[in-house]
Amino acid sequence: MKFSFLRSLLPFIVALLAATILVTSQPIQAMPAQNNHGGFDVHIPENTPDNINEEDEDWGDDWAEEEVTSPWQVTGIIEAAYGQFLQSNMTEKSSSLNEIRARINIDYSHSLFELAWKIDSRYDAVLDKKIWQTRELNVAASPFSFLDVKVGRQVLTWGTGDYLFLNDLFAKDWQSFFSGRADEYLKAPSDSIRTNWYFDNVNFTLVWTPEFTPDNYITGERFSFYSLQMQKIVAPRETFPVTKTNNSQWSARLNTSVNNIELSLYGYQGYWPTPQGGKATVENQAQGYFPKLNSWGFSALTTYAGGVINLEYSRYNSIEDRHGKNNNIANGQHRFLLGYERELAKNLTASVQYYLERTANYQALLENSTTPEQVVDENRQLITLRLTYRTQQQTLTYSLFSFYSPTDHDAYLKPSINYQYNDQWLFSAGANVFIGKDDYSFFGQHQDNTNTWLRLRYAY
Amino acid sequence: MNRLFYSNIKQVKRLVVMTLITLLAVNTTLQAQELSAEQIIAKANLAAYYAGDDGSAQARMIIVDENGQKQMRQFIILRQDKKDLGDQNMLVFFSRPSNVKDTVFRVEKHTEQDDNRWLYLPALDLVKRISAGDKRTSFVGSHFFYEDVSGRNPNEDSFSLLSEDDNSYTIKAVPKNKNSVEFNYYIINISKSNFLPTESTYFDAQAKPVRKMTVLKVKNITGNATVMKSRITDLTNNSYTEMQFRKVKYDIGLPNNIFSERSMRTPPKAWLK
């Protein structure tokens, strides 16, 4: 990921920081404030008889009306994670995940703006390196009563799908998703300017990302995958060469609510988020790149029979291959989603989704493909099911997410258990199971990537 | 003549006194009869969940499990009544612990249909619509159910006045649809002075008490008797949650447009102080 945009922002942010520090000159207060009995940061007057008993001290009867509040808040996590392939894989390591992560979130709240800085550093034993990543560094403000602006590195999400993305073309991190990192890491940050315009019941969001941010897609560093060129499963140690693009991407959404139905219109101008194109270099080497992509779509969401029903459509225009004749560039698509979620029983929630991915100019794709027998069905379909059961006062969560494709004859199961021992400690375990008939299908190519994982997290 | 006059006056006096006493007695009986169990419950609902036209408060919960393990939740609530005993809008901004910080929960409470609920997940900057769900499931892992926080719909139960004394009414509530709840009936004590429920005990099919809500502290805030501290105990294992409030304010004039998706992404700081 390139940092140049962020770099150009840095002086501004640093100056802002310095100014606010000078103006407020208040000490940074860790949050939650740690006191010696691990409870609330409650001011207890010394003459209160309550402080004799630890139990009562937690419950000083008068919850202090005044508390020293600092505009600074520092929180974070420390996490150890380990994941292992369940069969031999052609990757260099037999572990899919092996890292220690420290995360620091610094928030500063000013009457005119909010600053968020989230630093993620980890030692990644799968990649044998220390990685520093600024996950967020942004300033948010409301310069006008009808406008909210957020500038800087941020995580962006929209659309109605659950683990399925149609109109959401913001960067994703598939490596995190496949290796069992926390869900939030499925979304990768981008350096963007987001503006939210509010007019009565209508909300317009415009996001400009000056430098196109691709997904963190699957490479041979951590997982194996099917190479169409080589006609086999590969896991190249050197990431395959991909030409980057420095051009910008635009994302827009118009959102309103009519009779309790949430309606959205979406537009996108940018690039395919994964290298869906290939071209020859000067040295006649094949090289991947991100072909141009424009899309538009809509979604509707409402409550129905005690649950939530959602519908979404998106049209992908692969404008460098409008007629689908170029075998090296992905064809356009129609993406359609229908989903329903509801509580089945107390603490048990289920959601199902039907997803259709229709390839445009399918005949041209077949005719121009060198491997027509491996081409995806014209109407690729997916059915997903999510079951979530929470018990023990919601501290223990069992979850299963499953993808099944009747057209690709493959499936992907994501079972997990989460145990929130207390406010600080979270223990999680799970698996990523890939099943498939063919080596070249979407999930089938990842059969050797089937893994199980464990995570231990401390939040402060 | 005089004697007759005086005796007449005496008689009149007696008559007046008698009449007054009778009137008073009748009046007292009338007053007691005036308030049916349903009316008392309506008044209690009004006092407990509809004080003022809107309001804000800081709240914290300590959740203590049967092993004494503690968890905590701290949040700010903004509330707006559409109509007394009717629909309400609510926003809940979580600040602690750090794993729920900046999470926002939004409810449009409806008395005639399912509630609308949204959850804002700050890590993804995502506002997620969530299904209305069972109202008798735990609110953020505490012993308080959604229904305890936003009020149980009185149409769900049949009420009967069991007894009353100088200070309180004791009312038995039997759910109309027993399959929808985990209890068989509950008994609720309501203060006569301010109509706040002071204690509710839930019984199972064997008439054994299994769950209990106790009000621990009440304070008068701008004319509204307000529960400042209460506890819900699971009597089967003695685990419990205590909820405390502070900075409670009423009739602060929250604008309607506060209760929107925008406030979830960009909390309205001016109203959260």
Side-chain angles (χ1 to χ4, degrees), chain A residues 290-322:
Chain A
F290 305 95
K292 283 183 183 160
L293 175 71
N294 291 349
S295 85
W296 67 272
F298 61 84
S299 70
L301 185 150
T302 191
T303 48
Y304 177 73
V308 175
I309 191 164
N310 63 293
L311 184 147
E312 189 167 339
Y313 169 81
S314 188
R315 172 75 170 109
Y316 282 27
N317 288 314
S318 192
I319 53 175
E320 291 181 31
D321 184 25
R322 281 183 194 280

Side-chain angles (χ1 to χ4, degrees), chain A residues 109-171:
Chain A
S109 181
H110 186 270
S111 59
L112 295 176
F113 65 89
E114 301 278 326
L115 176 107
W117 192 3
K118 298 182 178 174
I119 308 147
D120 225 24
S121 62
R122 67 175 199 263
Y123 175 71
D124 193 322
V126 175
L127 308 181
D128 284 324
K129 49 183 164 181
K130 285 191 213 90
I131 295 173
W132 279 83
Q133 197 193 25
T134 295
R135 187 158 171 87
E136 281 187 39
L137 176 53
N138 58 64
V139 177
S142 304
F144 301 102
S145 62
F146 55 85
L147 177 66
D148 290 345
V149 181
K150 198 188 235 186
V151 179
R153 181 163 296 184
Q154 55 192 301
V155 174
L156 294 152
T157 308
W158 63 39
T160 64
D162 187 5
Y163 286 166
L164 289 174
F165 302 96
L166 291 81
N167 289 296
D168 180 342
L169 284 148
F170 301 115

Side-chain angles (χ1 to χ4, degrees), chain A residues 366-378:
Chain A
L366 279 187
E367 282 164 10
N368 292 288
S369 173
T370 48
T371 50
E373 71 286 353
Q374 291 178 13
V375 166
V376 71
D377 276 30
E378 181 173 14

